[in-house]
């Protein structure tokens, strides 16, 4: 049977709750976890894990290809909100992506991705995030790396010396109300971060056994919570899941707490969710750090995204010439000019000098994963020197922070 005849037997449509069992079966195939992985996460078996993902079907928009009413390929759009340089965007998180192997190489996922992007556009989700199983594959679909995950190992002898701080640290459960208070403030201060709902918090702990994790909260002199550390100690290793704080006083207070475990551990190991090397902040900087790409992002609708973007300052009008491999509505010219109230106006006429680039590079640029001058040097964008300088001036320079998973 040729490709066209085969495709005539298939139907692309929304996946409703009546297909929950089939959704779970395909999800179980997509998430290939070993029993030991599940046990560490606090699940008794794979069935329990798959059942725990049921809310995604209820909360998200799911699309799938069906063959004789059998779900064979699917994609889920997980509704989220994120901070983009101080502006709160609706974000479509792509998850639950999978196709049974016997139906691969028929272009099914290409159509599902197009449908998902069109749906996000209609829902005004101007940006999308995903955790990539293959960076090259998702780059071909228009996504680009937006954030890194830094993994570090510090010997007990390399721990920083205690710094005098006016506050103190208290150990609590990870769901203490002050944890949420600090994170909410932290997310509003940090570009790229998820604005977490209750469901987002559940997903945050999905792959962790939260009952075996502890929160250390730093309180300042006024007993105001300003820093959080999620950790556990096992086999003489102090494990840091995440540390977030509102100021350097809180950071110092949390590291004082870690250093206080000097006699109990040989190593401190953990993660930092932005390209911000820890070594520079330590007196003994000869530690092991590994940086790897973590999440990818994609501008879903260029016009909508640019209209909300918080440019640092106004400038002379210029325009982008964008190429998009999947979302045809993003192909073309997008001009930027500012009115008398400094509000940006997005047009479709080539006003001013051009900046030519693809949707991946545009996303990289506005998520500030790499700066304009660097992207110009490696020939990911084309423009003149003056317009390049303009981009450097008007785009905020804060790296993305993203520590969630879905």
């Amino acid at each position: 049977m040729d490709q066209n005849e085969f495709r005539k037997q298939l139907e692309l449509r929304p996946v409703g709750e009546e297909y929950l069992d089939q959704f779970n079966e395909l999800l179980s195939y997509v998430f290939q976890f070993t029993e030991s992985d599940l046990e560490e996460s606090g699940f008794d078996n794979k069935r329990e894990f798959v059942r725990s993902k049921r809310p995604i079907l209820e909360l998200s928009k799911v699309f799938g290809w069906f063959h004789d009413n059998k779900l064979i390929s699917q994609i889920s759009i997980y509704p989220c909100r994120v901070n983009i340089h101080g502006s709160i965007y609706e974000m479509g998180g792509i998850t639950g992506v999978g196709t049974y192997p016997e139906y691969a190489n028929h272009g099914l996922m290409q159509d599902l991705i197009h449908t998902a992007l069109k749906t996000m556009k209609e829902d005004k989700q101007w940006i999308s995030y995903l955790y990539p199983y293959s960076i090259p594959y998702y780059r071909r679909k228009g996504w680009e790396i937006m954030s890194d995950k830094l993994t570090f190992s510090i010997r007990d002898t390399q721990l920083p010396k205690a710094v005098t701080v006016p506050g103190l640290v208290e150990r609590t459960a990870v769901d203490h109300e002050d944890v949420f208070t600090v994170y909410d403030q932290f997310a509003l201060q940090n570009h790229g971060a998820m604005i977490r709902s209750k469901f987002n918090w559940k997903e945050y702990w999905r792959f962790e056994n939260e009952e075996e994790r502890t929160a250390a909260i730093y309180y300042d002199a006024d007993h105001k919570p300003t820093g959080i550390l999620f950790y556990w100690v096992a086999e003489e290793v102090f494990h840091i899941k995440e540390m977030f704080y509102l100021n350097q006083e809180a950071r110092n207070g949390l590291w004082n707490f870690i250093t206080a475990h000097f006699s109990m551990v040989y190593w401190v190991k953990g993660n930092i969710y932005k390209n911000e090397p820890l070594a520079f902040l330590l007196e003994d900087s000869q530690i092991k750090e590994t940086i790897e790409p973590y999440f990818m992002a994609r501008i879903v609708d260029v016009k909508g995204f640019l209209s909300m973007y918080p440019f640092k300052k106004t400038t002379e009008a210029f325009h982008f010439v964008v190429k998009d491999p999947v979302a045809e509505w993003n192909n073309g010219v997008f001009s930027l000019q500012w009115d008398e109230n400094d509000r940006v106006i997005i047009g479709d006429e080539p006003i001013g000098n051009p900046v030519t680039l693809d949707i991946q590079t545009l996303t990289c640029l506005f998520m500030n994963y790499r700066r304009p001058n660097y992207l110009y040097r490696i020939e990911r964008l084309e423009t003149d020197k003056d317009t390049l300088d303009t981009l450097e001036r008007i785009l905020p320079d804060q790296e993305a922070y993203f520590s969630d998973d879905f």
Side-chain angles (χ1 to χ4, degrees):
M1 183 183 301
D2 65 24
Q3 178 92 338
N4 291 333
E5 287 299 316
F6 173 74
R7 291 287 292 259
K8 289 178 182 178
Q9 299 181 12
L10 308 182
E11 182 183 5
L12 193 164
R13 64 175 187 262
V15 179
E17 289 189 36
E18 66 271 25
Y19 293 100
L20 178 62
D21 290 342
Q22 293 193 42
F23 174 83
N24 285 345
E25 288 176 12
L26 185 48
L27 197 63
S28 181
Y29 174 79
V30 171
F31 291 94
Q32 292 293 317
F33 289 107
T34 65
E35 292 301 324
S36 61
D37 290 333
L38 293 170
E39 186 176 336
E40 287 183 11
S41 299
F43 294 98
D44 291 334
N45 51 53
K46 185 171 288 188
R47 183 178 296 276
E48 183 186 350
F49 169 75
V50 170
R51 188 165 55 248
S52 77
K53 300 291 283 188
R54 176 175 180 166
I56 283 187
L57 181 61
E58 299 171 346
L59 185 65
S60 302
K61 290 189 175 180
V62 184
F63 296 92
W65 277 105
F66 290 83
H67 185 208
D68 293 333
N69 213 37
K70 176 188 176 183
L71 181 62
I72 62 173
S73 183
Q74 69 183 24
I75 191 169
S76 303
I77 307 168
Y78 176 44
C80 307
R81 299 170 70 229
V82 293
N83 171 10
I84 306 296
H85 294 298
S87 288
I88 307 304
Y89 281 72
E90 299 297 321
M91 184 270 283
I94 297 299
T95 186
V97 178
T99 302
Y100 285 119
E102 62 268 33
Y103 296 100
N105 302 316
H106 289 288
L108 304 185
M109 192 51 64
Q110 175 78 6
D111 291 339
L112 285 176
I113 289 174
H114 184 271
T115 299
L117 289 169
K118 185 177 179 181
T119 301
M120 287 187 278
K121 180 177 185 293
E122 292 169 354
D123 292 341
K124 298 183 179 180
Q125 295 169 322
W126 306 137
I127 190 163
S128 172
Y129 286 10
L130 61 77
Y131 179 79
Y133 72 85
S134 168
I135 289 176
Y137 177 82
Y138 283 111
R139 272 182 167 158
R140 292 195 297 271
K141 306 305 179 185
W143 276 263
E144 186 51 272
I145 301 166
M146 60 154 273
S147 69
D148 293 325
K149 179 179 178 179
L150 185 149
T151 302
F152 61 86
S153 297
I154 304 174
R155 278 300 309 268
D156 55 345
T157 54
Q158 296 175 303
L159 287 169
K161 296 177 181 178
V163 177
T164 300
V165 292
L168 53 83
V169 170
E170 295 181 10
R171 292 182 295 116
T172 72
V174 297
D175 59 354
H176 191 282
E177 62 180 355
D178 288 343
V179 168
F180 307 133
T181 297
V182 175
Y183 180 80
D184 289 346
Q185 295 176 66
F186 174 84
L188 293 175
Q189 291 179 6
N190 283 267
H191 160 59
M194 176 92 83
I195 308 300
R196 290 183 191 149
S197 65
K198 289 182 179 179
F199 186 76
N200 296 146
W201 273 107
K202 289 181 179 179
E203 283 297 294
Y204 176 84
W205 290 109
R206 184 75 64 190
F207 300 97
E208 298 274 348
N209 190 344
E210 60 183 301
E211 294 180 357
E212 297 181 0
R213 307 295 184 249
T214 302
I217 305 179
Y218 179 79
Y219 292 91
D220 65 16
D222 297 322
H223 205 68
K224 178 182 177 182
T226 55
I228 305 294
L229 168 69
F230 294 138
Y231 77 97
W232 74 100
V233 180
E235 299 180 351
E236 299 179 318
V237 176
F238 189 104
H239 296 274
I240 299 174
K241 173 173 171 57
E242 185 178 9
M243 180 193 297
F244 49 91
Y245 43 85
L246 305 182
N247 51 49
Q248 289 302 303
E249 176 190 318
R251 176 188 170 274
N252 288 330
L254 292 173
W255 273 105
N256 286 351
F257 174 77
I258 296 169
T259 298
H261 290 75
F262 175 83
S263 62
M264 298 171 52
V265 300
Y266 286 113
W267 289 96
V268 173
K269 298 182 179 182
N271 302 306
I272 296 175
Y273 292 91
K274 66 191 312 185
N275 188 355
E276 183 181 73
L278 173 65
F280 182 74
L281 300 174
L282 299 177
E283 182 179 357
D284 185 349
S285 295
Q286 290 183 319
I287 66 171
K288 182 180 179 181
E289 293 179 304
T290 303
I291 297 177
E292 60 179 331
Y294 185 51
F295 253 66
M296 301 182 80
R298 184 199 211 284
I299 294 175
V300 172
D301 182 82
V302 173
K303 184 175 181 179
F305 181 87
L306 293 178
S307 65
M308 285 183 60
Y309 193 82
F311 294 94
K312 285 175 63 177
K313 57 183 70 176
T314 61
T315 187
E316 294 296 320
F318 68 96
H319 66 277
F320 291 106
V321 182
V322 182
K323 294 181 180 179
D324 192 315
V326 181
E328 66 278 0
W329 54 87
N330 288 331
N331 287 311
V333 170
F334 299 88
S335 63
L336 284 77
Q337 54 184 325
W338 284 261
D339 64 17
E340 63 276 7
N341 296 315
D342 292 340
R343 291 177 299 195
V344 67
I345 300 171
I346 311 300
D348 56 7
E349 297 294 328
I351 303 172
N353 294 329
V355 179
T356 303
L357 71 184
D358 56 30
I359 194 69
Q360 299 94 318
T361 305
L362 187 70
T363 302
C364 181
L365 191 68
F366 279 83
M367 291 302 293
N368 196 42
Y369 186 73
R370 293 292 182 264
R371 295 298 295 172
N373 274 303
Y374 175 78
L375 294 170
Y376 175 82
R377 288 200 307 272
I378 64 171
E379 301 180 352
R380 286 283 297 267
L381 64 80
E382 298 178 13
T383 192
D384 61 282
K385 188 65 170 64
D386 288 341
T387 308
L388 186 64
D389 290 342
T390 293
L391 288 174
E392 285 285 352
R393 289 195 307 272
I394 68 174
L395 297 182
D397 189 10
Q398 185 184 24
E399 294 177 336
Y401 181 101
F402 192 77
S403 59
D404 289 75
D405 194 6
F406 46 78

